């Protein structure tokens, strides 16, 4: 449910009271993002509370809302704003919350891969061969990198879905000793559950494998880009990464020798 | 049915209250831009390239204690502010406190190795302190990865270390709840470092934050806004934020070695670690050892720190658990009595004072 729809339904117009437009970036850049998410939480939950009649069960209404949210996840990527409170904070911009979106990305990747493969079948002759093969390997590495990140994002998607499910179950199963009187307490309750689910996801062997694959793919892609950058810079007779690394290495060796000489000098002076 | 007791009036008030706090935060955040850390006066007594040995100013001067911090963050956290400072607490207990500040490695430092840090810089500064004080041995207190370095150093140079104190220090990198080890298990470290010059602090910071994203990227900022009326609490928060996001790069070679040898091969714990051709034999750690760890440490699980017990001679080994998380044992309101207090108690048990 978008913020506009929910506020119109309740008669409580959040945007009129929003302080976010007037808040500067300040020293803490993540604070605005967190505040946006929390505001969305307050908006969702307050809208439910304000809609309740005297006989209605607020708790059950919230549970129903969360269940509906979870059911809408597979199709809801276009409606799922990065600032929504239940979105995993790690990838708010790279939002792949729906299977259909993942499939769409996968289809794009397959099409791109086919295009690259087709390109690589063109005979390469003469001095352009190294350029073409290097360019193709950059394209290939980019595709692999993207694939690996999409695979990793599936974990974030499933963790988000599971977190909402556990939140709903936890609310339904709360005992008499636990009372939640404010939206802030409800939010903290949600955070505890979401963090627990996330930690379980993170500690799976499959996550470790896919995380490793994503980091390795990123590294390989970066190396490919560096190689082609060096080729371009070398062609223009400009310093390239390889040259810089050589210079840094020599500088490091000299500093190491200087350090040893300094120590030797100190020892000789002490004698 | 769930016990959710919401009244419409209170909910509306709560939402309006959040909005006004958010508005007020702009001015508070502006005032907090210039909060400073490290209030305890100190002087630089030696430096090597960009690395500096500091001595904290204070009287009287008791036993020397050298603090060795990790490479992945700035050491400012142990002297965050008055009242939340390990350094302040140690000075108050009469210690003569020193700190190695690793500085900000530049690209030219990318070939600095484990041996350069452990066998080079630490040894150099330990000798300076020993020579200046005429002491044969000094006390070493390691923090986190600095504790791991301290263990390696003391095992290679036991004749120079009087007592070894390790805090929130990873030793066994293959324990059940070690999320960092788990994440890096399938990372090709050689490929990673081949693609970079140094390991950027921002990347490492992102990894640490990603271990608890809901709390560290969302909830803590909401709590900050909820307490915006308390300027002192806001200032403390601001100092922590400044420290968290002031992450230096780590030299490529030492990052590569540490990741491979410790996180992936667990060489120190398994007794296979060799630095510059010398085996790090932890059975040579015959000096008194105090190992302090945090009960709720998600970065260095208690079992990882407790691994030290298994690999050192046990007659002089003591361990203590402190409530709190990885950073909390240093910056919480109980911090001043936590680490320094335990240290003082331990020395009393040994029959030695500072």
């Amino acid at each position: 449910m978008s913020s506009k729809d929910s506020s119109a339904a309740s008669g409580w117009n959040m945007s009129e009271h929003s302080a976010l437009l007037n808040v500067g970036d300040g020293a803490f850049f993540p604070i605005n993002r967190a505040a946006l998410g929390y505001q969305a939480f307050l908006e969702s939950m307050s809208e439910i509370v304000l809609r309740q009649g005297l006989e209605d069960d607020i708790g059950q209404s919230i549970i129903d809302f969360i269940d509906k949210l979870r059911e809408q996840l597979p199709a809801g990527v276009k409606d799922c704003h990065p600032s929504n409170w239940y979105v995993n904070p790690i990838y708010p911009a790279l939002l792949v919350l729906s299977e259909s979106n993942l499939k769409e990305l996968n289809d794009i990747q397959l099409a791109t891969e086919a295009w690259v493969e087709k390109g690589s079948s063109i005979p390469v002759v003469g001095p352009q061969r190294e350029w073409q093969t290097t360019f193709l390997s950059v394209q290939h590495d980019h595709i692999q990198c993207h694939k690996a990140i999409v695979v990793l994002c599936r974990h974030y998607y499933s963790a988000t879905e599971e977190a909402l499910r556990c939140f709903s179950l936890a609310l339904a199963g709360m005992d008499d000793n636990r009372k939640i009187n404010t939206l802030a307490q409800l939010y903290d309750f949600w955070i505890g559950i979401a963090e627990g689910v996330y930690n379980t996801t993170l500690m799976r062997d499959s996550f470790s494998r896919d995380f490793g694959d994503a980091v390795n793919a990123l590294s390989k892609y970066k190396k490919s880009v560096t190689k082609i950058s060096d080729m371009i810079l070398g062609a223009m007779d400009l310093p390239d990464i390889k040259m810089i690394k050589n210079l840094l290495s020599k500088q490091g060796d000299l500093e190491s020798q200087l350090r040893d000489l300094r120590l030797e000098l100190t020892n000789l002076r002490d004698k | 049915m769930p016990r959710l007791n919401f009244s419409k009036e209170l909910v509306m008030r709560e939402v309006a209250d959040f909005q006004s706090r958010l508005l007020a935060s702009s001015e508070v955040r502006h005032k907090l831009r210039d909060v400073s850390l490290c209030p305890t006066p100190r002087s630089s007594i030696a430096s090597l390239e960009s690395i500096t040995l500091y001595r904290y100013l204070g009287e009287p001067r008791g036993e020397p204690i050298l603090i060795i911090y990790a490479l992945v963050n700035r050491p400012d956290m142990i002297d965050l502010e008055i009242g939340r400072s390990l350094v302040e607490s140690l000075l108050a207990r009469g210690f003569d406190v020193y700190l190695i500040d690793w500085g900000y490695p530049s690209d030219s430092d990318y070939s600095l190795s484990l041996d350069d840090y452990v066998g080079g810089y630490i040894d150099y500064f330990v000798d300076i302190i020993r020579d200046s004080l005429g002491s044969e041995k000094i006390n070493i207190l390691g923090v986190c990865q600095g504790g791991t370095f301290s263990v390696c150093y003391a095992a290679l140079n036991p004749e120079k270390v009087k007592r070894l104190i390790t805090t929130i220090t990873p030793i066994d990198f293959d324990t059940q709840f070690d999320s960092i080890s788990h994440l890096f298990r399938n990372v090709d470290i050689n490929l990673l470092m081949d693609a970079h010059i140094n390991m950027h602090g921002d990347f490492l910071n992102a990894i640490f934050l990603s271990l608890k994203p809901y709390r560290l990227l969302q909830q803590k900022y909401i709590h900050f806004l909820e307490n915006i009326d308390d300027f002192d609490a806001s200032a403390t928060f601001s100092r922590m934020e400044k420290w968290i996001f002031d992450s230096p790069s780590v030299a490529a070679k030492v990052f590569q070695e540490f990741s491979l040898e410790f996180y992936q091969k667990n060489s120190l714990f398994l007794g296979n670690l060799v630095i510059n051709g010398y085996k790090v034999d932890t059975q040579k750690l015959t000096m008194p050892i105090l190992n302090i760890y945090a009960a709720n440490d998600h970065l260095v699980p208690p079992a990882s720190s407790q691994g030290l017990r298994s690999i050192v001679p046990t007659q002089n080994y003591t361990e203590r658990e402190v409530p709190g998380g990885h950073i909390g044992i240093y910056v919480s309101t109980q911090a001043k009595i936590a680490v320094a207090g335990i240290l003082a108690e331990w020395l009393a048990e040994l029959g030695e004072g500072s």
Side-chain angles (χ1 to χ4, degrees):
Chain A
M1 181 182 289
S2 71
S3 69
K4 199 174 165 190
D5 290 340
S6 65
S7 61
S10 67
W12 173 253
N13 193 343
M14 288 290 290
S15 60
E16 283 180 0
H17 299 268
S18 174
L20 286 171
L21 291 172
N22 299 318
V23 172
D25 200 312
F28 323 123
F29 70 91
I31 197 172
N32 290 345
R33 207 160 69 191
L36 268 172
Y38 186 59
Q39 178 154 312
F41 178 84
L42 289 179
E43 187 179 299
S44 299
M45 297 302 162
S46 62
E47 197 264 331
I48 295 170
V49 172
L50 294 173
R51 242 186 359 205
Q52 295 301 299
L54 284 171
E55 302 300 319
D56 293 336
D57 186 326
I58 292 176
Q60 189 57 52
S61 298
I62 290 178
I63 289 172
D64 292 341
F65 169 73
I66 292 164
D67 288 340
K68 196 175 171 189
L69 214 54
R70 189 166 59 87
E71 284 159 23
Q72 285 175 343
L73 273 181
V77 70
K78 284 190 172 57
D79 296 327
C80 189
H81 194 270
S83 66
N84 267 336
W85 57 271
Y86 54 88
V87 166
N88 188 290
I90 291 193
Y91 272 122
L94 190 63
L95 210 61
V96 221
L97 280 190
S98 78
E99 274 301 319
S100 64
N101 198 44
L102 286 170
K103 186 185 177 308
E104 203 178 312
L105 279 168
N106 202 39
D107 290 341
I108 293 170
Q109 281 161 4
L110 286 171
T112 311
E113 201 161 18
W115 179 80
V116 169
E117 288 299 322
K118 189 180 171 188
S120 71
S121 70
I122 297 170
V124 289
V125 293
Q128 293 303 313
R129 182 182 175 83
E130 194 187 358
W131 283 98
Q132 286 176 319
T133 52
T134 306
F135 177 74
L136 286 170
S137 74
V138 169
Q139 297 302 313
H140 177 75
D141 290 340
H142 181 247
I143 291 167
Q144 297 308 311
C145 181
H146 206 256
K147 266 187 188 170
I149 289 173
V150 168
V151 168
L152 192 63
C153 281
R154 288 181 190 272
H155 290 281
Y156 292 113
Y157 166 66
S158 69
T160 302
E161 192 185 30
E162 179 65 9
L164 285 171
R165 191 185 74 85
C166 290
F167 187 33
S168 173
L169 284 175
L171 283 173
M174 264 193 340
D175 60 33
D176 287 343
N177 294 327
R178 181 158 204 153
K179 287 187 173 43
I180 292 179
N181 300 319
T182 65
L183 295 181
Q185 288 171 345
L186 184 64
Y187 180 76
D188 285 345
F189 189 52
W190 152 250
I191 292 290
I193 289 167
E195 201 78 271
V197 167
Y198 178 79
N199 187 253
T200 304
T201 305
L202 186 131
M203 291 306 287
R204 288 196 184 116
D205 287 343
S206 56
F207 188 95
S208 172
R209 178 198 66 216
D210 294 337
F211 178 83
D213 286 348
V215 173
N216 295 340
L218 272 163
S219 301
K220 197 154 184 278
Y221 176 50
K222 190 167 186 280
K223 269 192 79 174
S224 297
V225 170
T226 302
K227 185 177 177 187
I228 206 164
S229 301
D230 276 3
M231 285 171 67
I232 295 167
L233 290 166
M236 293 190 286
D237 207 21
L238 290 169
D240 57 18
I241 297 290
K242 200 170 165 186
M243 185 190 301
I244 291 169
K245 276 194 169 182
N246 275 340
L247 287 170
L248 290 174
S249 178
K250 284 180 180 161
Q251 183 177 348
D253 288 342
L254 285 170
E255 283 177 358
S256 181
Q257 286 174 35
L258 191 60
R259 203 179 312 134
D260 292 340
L261 283 169
R262 211 178 273 147
L263 286 171
E264 214 177 306
L265 192 61
T266 308
N267 289 337
L268 284 170
R269 276 199 193 125
D270 290 344
K271 281 180 187 167
Chain B
M1 282 293 112
R3 305 286 180 262
L4 297 176
N5 303 310
F6 296 129
S7 98
K8 293 183 184 181
E9 292 74 28
L10 286 176
V11 160
M12 284 173 62
R13 203 181 305 160
E14 192 180 346
V15 171
D17 184 57
F18 175 72
Q19 295 295 328
S20 62
R21 284 177 186 282
L22 194 52
L23 269 172
S25 73
S26 181
E27 192 186 332
V28 173
R29 281 152 65 181
H30 184 73
K31 285 180 187 168
L32 292 173
R33 275 183 189 274
D34 298 323
V35 287
S36 57
L37 290 75
C38 305
T40 311
R42 62 186 186 182
S43 64
S44 160
I45 61 170
S47 64
L48 202 53
E49 286 106 50
S50 59
I51 299 170
T52 309
L53 176 69
Y54 286 105
R55 188 185 196 188
Y56 287 89
L57 308 177
E59 297 292 342
R61 297 280 190 194
E63 285 216 31
I65 187 162
L66 170 64
I67 300 174
I68 298 177
Y69 201 80
L71 301 179
V72 298
N73 280 112
R74 296 286 301 143
D76 306 352
M77 182 268 291
I78 57 165
D79 190 25
L80 189 75
E81 61 186 26
I82 296 170
R84 293 176 201 265
S85 168
L86 170 69
V87 170
E88 185 188 26
S89 315
L90 291 173
L91 287 172
R93 281 170 170 79
F95 286 100
D96 185 6
V97 184
Y98 297 80
L99 169 80
I100 298 176
D101 185 336
W102 301 117
Y104 293 88
S106 67
D107 288 345
S108 64
D109 295 321
Y110 90 100
S111 61
L112 286 178
S113 66
L114 198 56
D115 179 50
D116 286 320
Y117 280 94
V118 175
Y121 296 120
I122 294 177
D123 194 43
Y124 176 72
F125 291 124
V126 165
D127 282 347
I128 285 183
I129 298 171
R130 288 168 64 233
D131 291 344
S132 70
L133 298 176
S135 301
E136 201 181 313
K137 302 184 181 193
I138 66 167
N139 301 304
I140 290 182
L141 188 156
V143 181
C144 191
Q145 184 193 37
T148 318
F149 283 0
S150 304
V151 166
C152 295
Y153 177 76
L156 291 167
N157 303 275
E159 72 284 359
K160 297 184 184 181
V161 181
K162 184 172 182 182
R163 301 184 203 94
L164 176 64
I165 304 105
T166 53
T167 64
I168 51 172
T169 293
I171 299 291
D172 182 357
F173 291 77
D174 189 18
T175 58
Q176 190 184 359
F177 300 111
D178 194 331
S179 45
I180 299 177
S181 286
H182 175 76
L183 279 184
F184 274 84
R185 192 159 296 146
N186 297 295
V187 173
D188 184 338
I189 301 291
N190 292 328
L191 175 62
L192 179 66
M193 296 324 298
D194 208 19
H196 295 83
I197 294 179
N198 283 338
M199 177 47 62
H200 280 284
D202 290 344
F203 175 76
L204 290 173
N205 213 14
I207 298 287
F208 298 140
L209 292 173
S210 76
L211 299 178
K212 282 197 169 188
Y214 290 95
R215 291 197 199 284
L216 299 178
L217 294 173
Q218 288 183 337
Q219 187 188 43
K220 74 169 181 179
Y221 295 109
I222 307 309
H223 286 176
F224 163 70
L225 289 170
E226 283 171 358
N227 294 314
I228 204 76
D229 296 334
D230 184 342
F231 188 79
D232 288 342
S234 299
T236 302
F237 180 87
S238 171
R239 291 188 182 97
M240 280 298 299
E241 284 293 287
K242 277 198 166 185
W243 171 74
I244 286 167
F245 290 102
D246 182 13
S247 303
S249 294
V250 178
K253 182 90 178 151
V254 71
F255 180 84
Q256 190 174 10
E257 286 178 327
F258 197 85
S259 303
L260 281 169
E261 291 298 332
F262 292 85
Y263 274 104
Q264 291 190 343
K265 294 182 186 174
N266 208 11
S267 298
L268 174 68
F269 183 72
L270 295 175
N272 303 327
L273 184 64
V274 173
I275 296 178
N276 195 26
Y278 295 95
K279 186 180 174 187
V280 178
D281 183 2
T282 52
Q283 289 301 312
K284 290 187 178 169
L285 292 169
T286 52
M287 73 288 292
I289 299 173
L290 173 63
N291 185 19
I292 302 173
Y293 58 90
N296 301 313
D297 195 333
H298 73 288
L299 291 172
V300 180
S304 176
S305 293
Q306 287 166 333
L308 186 61
R309 187 199 309 147
S310 317
I311 61 171
V312 301
T314 53
Q315 63 270 21
N316 287 327
Y317 174 84
T318 307
E319 67 180 35
R320 290 280 185 271
E321 181 179 279
V322 177
H326 190 70
I327 305 302
I329 70 164
Y330 281 110
V331 302
S332 74
T333 47
Q334 299 301 308
K336 67 162 80 174
I337 59 171
V339 175
I342 290 170
L343 178 55
E345 268 174 30
W346 176 64
L347 287 172
E349 282 168 21
L350 289 175
E352 304 164 36
S354 64

